[in-house]
Amino acid sequence: MNEKHAGRKRKVTHDGDYHKELHEEDKKISKIQSGLNDIQLTPPRHLNGYGRALWKVLVPELRKLDKVKQLDRTSLELFCSEYGHYRSAEEKLEEYGEYISNDDGIPVKRSPALVTVETAARILKSLGADLGLSFDARSGQVLAETHDDEDDSAKSTPLKVVKFSV
């Protein structure tokens, strides 16, 4: 290796028992959650059409993971509601455009729908990560679940852990 172009040396920020500790924590959480009620399959009535449709798609998948329970309902409701706002604002953008123009046709300010889309995207990203709807959140859960007590790092790669054939 060319030392001059090797870049900064990597630092190890945790010891080898890091994934084992995550696995043990996940077991404790799973044990506690096993007594909690599953989240309901039917969407709340107050959600709009897009939110209700998203609820019907997400909840069966989340129940398979057995991570989201009835206690998480508020976060999931907010996620689905915000998704409804996002989709409605997207439709308004299609219809009216990104900017409000004056009488001469010169854009003078951003459309409120554009602001809604940007805000909703940030909120969706944040709530999605909290609910385990991002790849990073799910892969962290998978890594913690699949770690065995014995050292199997030589037998498996991170890609195999997330069911990716190598």
Side-chain angles (χ1 to χ4, degrees):
M1 174 185 342
N2 185 344
E3 294 288 327
K4 183 176 178 183
H5 299 290
R8 187 183 310 178
K9 290 185 179 180
R10 292 185 177 189
K11 289 185 179 179
V12 177
T13 57
H14 56 77
D15 59 4
D17 292 333
Y18 178 72
H19 291 293
K20 184 177 179 180
E21 291 170 14
L22 282 178
H23 181 60
E24 289 170 4
E25 283 181 35
D26 195 52
K27 276 185 179 178
K28 289 177 190 175
I29 291 170
S30 294
K31 186 176 180 181
I32 292 168
Q33 281 193 333
S34 65
L36 299 176
N37 294 332
D38 285 333
I39 193 145
Q40 68 188 39
L41 286 172
T42 57
R45 290 185 192 152
H46 66 85
L47 291 176
N48 69 10
Y50 291 121
R52 294 175 69 80
L54 183 64
W55 183 283
K56 290 177 182 178
V57 170
L58 284 181
V59 168
E61 297 301 317
L62 290 170
R63 287 180 79 164
K64 288 178 192 174
L65 293 172
D66 200 33
K67 297 289 182 190
V68 179
K69 298 293 186 173
Q70 189 65 24
L71 288 174
D72 304 310
R73 178 183 168 165
T74 305
S75 295
L76 187 58
E77 278 183 38
L78 285 170
F79 185 85
C80 291
S81 178
E82 200 60 40
Y83 178 74
H85 296 147
Y86 172 81
R87 289 291 305 267
S88 297
E90 282 280 330
E91 288 176 355
K92 297 292 184 194
L93 277 176
E94 282 289 320
E95 187 175 344
Y96 298 110
E98 294 183 4
Y99 294 94
I100 297 174
S101 302
N102 64 12
D103 294 336
D104 298 328
I106 300 171
V108 290
K109 75 176 198 176
R110 292 166 36 133
S111 165
L114 181 60
V115 174
T116 301
V117 165
E118 291 171 347
T119 303
R122 281 193 303 272
I123 293 169
L124 286 169
K125 185 174 180 180
S126 174
L127 286 171
D130 290 347
L131 291 167
L133 300 178
S134 69
F135 175 77
D136 288 340
R138 281 191 316 280
S139 62
Q141 291 170 356
V142 169
L143 281 173
E145 288 174 2
T146 57
H147 180 75
D148 294 330
D149 291 339
E150 62 191 23
D151 181 28
D152 59 354
S153 59
K155 300 176 196 172
S156 175
T157 69
L159 294 174
K160 285 186 180 178
V161 171
V162 293
K163 309 278 192 268
F164 187 87
S165 60
V166 186

